[in-house]
């Protein structure tokens, strides 16, 4: 077996290959190390991956000729090498079928999709899963990463049910070129191109101010929230009602904030002076 004797230099993929190659080396009674000099990172990566896969796969005769197969460590089935997926960042390998089931299960529970290997925390990259996933699942995987790229206070969703595009307030402002619309709080969705009110977060109410709209639509969630003094989680946008206790709110999505001023809690400590005792909330 050949492995690369390289020193770590910040490249996570190369370092992961070195670690995996070292683990494989310990499994053999005899292993010869080769040092490759003058090669770029991409070629080193390909050589090391080829060396590792060669130890885990075998040739098998089929009606259409010989094929390389590999055992999936999740289902323990022999799978054609071309139907195996190598996770970027950790290089753990699983068959397409196991990967599909794993991703679907995590998406259904609303969890971040990570490598199926026990104890591995590497997050899967949606675009690299296109080879075995339907496009709608790739889109669902991408959404949490898109949300994470936009600061919580900048996030806004299109209020039209058929769109619901995630946007940043800054991008929405750029998309809305009409100066009169900007002044009135009217914005254009960068997805469906329809107008909506950024203050009320509803489809645009023509010829009606925000206060008039709220008075004429008292049963909207926003109106009820103001009347009952509910607060909205900045991360998942769910409405929270304080029943008893102090102002420390731990939302179901994991975001912590102050119920009184909505200031974020960091490391289970407030960034405001409103209070930090025990609480009881309804969501």
């Amino acid at each position: 077996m050949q492995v690369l004797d390289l020193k770590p230099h910040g490249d996570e993929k190369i370092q992961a290959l070195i670690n995996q190659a070292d683990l494989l080396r310990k499994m053999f009674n005899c292993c010869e190390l080769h040092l490759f000099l003058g090669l770029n990172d991409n070629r080193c990566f390909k050589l090391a991956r080829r060396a590792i896969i060669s130890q885990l796969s075998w040739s098998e005769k089929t009606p259409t000729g010989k094929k390389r197969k590999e055992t999936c460590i999740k289902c323990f089935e022999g799978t054609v090498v071309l139907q195996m997926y190598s996770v970027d960042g950790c290089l753990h390998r699983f068959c397409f079928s196991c990967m599909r089931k794993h991703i679907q299960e995590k998406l259904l529970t609303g969890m971040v999709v990570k490598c199926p290997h026990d104890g591995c925390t590497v997050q899967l990259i949606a675009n690299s899963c296109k080879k075995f996933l339907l496009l709608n699942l790739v889109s669902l995987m991408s959404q949490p990463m898109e949300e994470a790229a936009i600061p919580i206070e900048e996030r806004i969703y299109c209020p039209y049910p058929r769109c619901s595009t995630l946007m940043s307030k800054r991008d929405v402002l750029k998309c809305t070129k009409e100066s009169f619309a900007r002044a009135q709080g009217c914005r254009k969705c960068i997805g469906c191109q329809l107008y909506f009110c950024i203050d009320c977060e509803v489809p645009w109410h023509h010829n009606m101010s925000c206060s008039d709209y709220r008075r004429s639509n008292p049963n909207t969630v926003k109106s009820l929230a103001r009347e009952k003094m509910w607060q909205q989680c900045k991360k998942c946008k769910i409405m929270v009602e304080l029943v008893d206790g102090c102002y420390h709110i731990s939302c179901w999505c994991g975001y912590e904030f102050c119920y009184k001023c909505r200031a974020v809690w960091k490391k289970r400590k407030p960034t405001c002076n409103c209070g930090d005792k025990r609480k009881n909330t309804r969501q």
Side-chain angles (χ1 to χ4, degrees):
M1 169 180 146
Q2 293 182 340
V3 298
L4 301 181
D5 186 11
L6 297 174
K7 294 182 179 180
H9 50 76
D11 192 310
E12 294 181 359
K13 289 186 178 181
I14 296 296
Q15 184 59 44
L17 274 171
I18 294 172
N19 295 337
Q20 190 170 354
D22 188 55
L23 289 174
L24 287 171
R25 181 176 61 84
K26 295 176 181 178
M27 297 170 59
F28 295 90
N29 295 326
C30 177
C31 182
E32 183 181 357
L33 297 177
H34 292 268
L35 175 64
F36 290 88
L37 299 174
L39 299 179
N40 58 40
D41 289 351
N42 288 334
R43 190 175 177 192
C44 289
F45 178 79
K46 291 179 181 178
L47 287 171
R49 183 168 59 182
R50 191 183 306 162
I52 292 171
I53 294 175
S54 68
Q55 306 300 319
L56 303 174
S57 61
W58 68 93
S59 294
E60 186 174 293
K61 289 184 178 180
T62 66
T64 57
K66 286 186 177 182
K67 288 186 177 180
R68 297 290 297 178
K69 283 195 170 184
E70 183 179 339
T71 301
C72 173
I73 61 175
K74 193 169 183 67
C75 65
F76 300 104
E77 294 289 336
T79 306
V80 176
V81 170
L82 294 177
Q83 297 294 312
M84 294 290 293
Y85 175 74
S86 182
V87 180
D88 291 329
C90 63
L91 301 180
H92 292 132
R93 292 172 62 81
F94 303 91
C95 68
F96 286 178
S97 177
C98 286
M99 288 299 303
R100 276 193 293 268
K101 291 177 182 177
H102 172 73
I103 291 173
Q104 289 171 352
E105 177 184 335
K106 295 301 179 184
L107 290 177
L108 284 174
T109 56
M111 298 176 65
V112 175
V113 186
K114 298 181 180 180
C115 172
H117 195 277
D118 291 339
C120 186
T121 59
V122 173
Q123 187 172 331
L124 297 183
I125 300 174
N127 286 337
S128 69
C129 298
K130 288 181 178 179
K131 62 182 71 175
F132 60 86
L133 276 185
L134 295 176
L135 290 179
N136 63 328
L137 292 179
V138 174
S139 178
L140 285 175
M141 284 183 65
S142 302
Q143 186 172 349
M145 289 180 280
E146 292 174 358
E147 289 182 344
I150 303 175
I152 294 173
E153 61 276 7
E154 278 288 310
R155 294 175 194 169
I156 189 167
Y157 293 84
C158 176
Y160 292 93
R162 293 186 178 182
C163 180
S164 301
T165 298
L166 169 65
M167 305 166 283
S168 71
K169 293 180 180 179
R170 183 178 301 178
D171 290 339
V172 171
L173 188 61
K174 291 179 180 179
C175 182
T176 310
K177 297 179 181 179
E178 296 83 351
S179 59
F180 79 91
R182 292 184 181 183
Q184 296 177 3
C186 180
R187 299 290 186 269
K188 181 188 289 186
C189 173
I190 62 177
C192 64
Q193 301 295 304
L194 295 177
Y195 287 96
F196 67 95
C197 178
I198 196 170
D199 298 319
C200 302
E201 297 183 14
V202 297
W204 180 240
H205 37 75
H206 298 278
N207 300 320
M208 187 182 294
S209 67
C210 290
S211 56
D212 290 338
Y213 173 81
R214 292 163 187 166
R215 281 195 294 269
S216 61
N217 294 271
N219 294 323
T220 63
V221 175
K222 287 280 186 179
S223 299
L224 287 172
R226 275 186 289 271
E227 178 185 342
K228 296 182 177 294
M229 299 181 67
W230 295 342
Q231 286 288 17
Q232 187 177 42
C233 173
K234 290 183 179 180
K235 183 177 181 180
C236 67
K237 305 301 181 182
I238 195 173
M239 288 294 179
V240 178
E241 178 185 10
L242 180 65
V243 178
D244 187 25
C246 83
Y247 299 123
H248 177 206
I249 304 298
S250 293
C251 186
W252 69 275
C253 66
Y255 185 69
E256 298 182 47
F257 63 97
C258 172
Y259 189 85
K260 186 176 182 180
C261 67
R262 294 214 301 169
V264 65
W265 274 53
K266 294 182 179 180
K267 297 182 179 178
R268 300 199 62 80
K269 293 183 179 180
T271 57
C272 63
N273 297 316
C274 298
D276 60 353
K277 296 179 182 179
R278 295 178 62 84
K279 78 289 178 189
N280 185 12
T281 61
R282 276 204 301 259
Q283 298 177 352

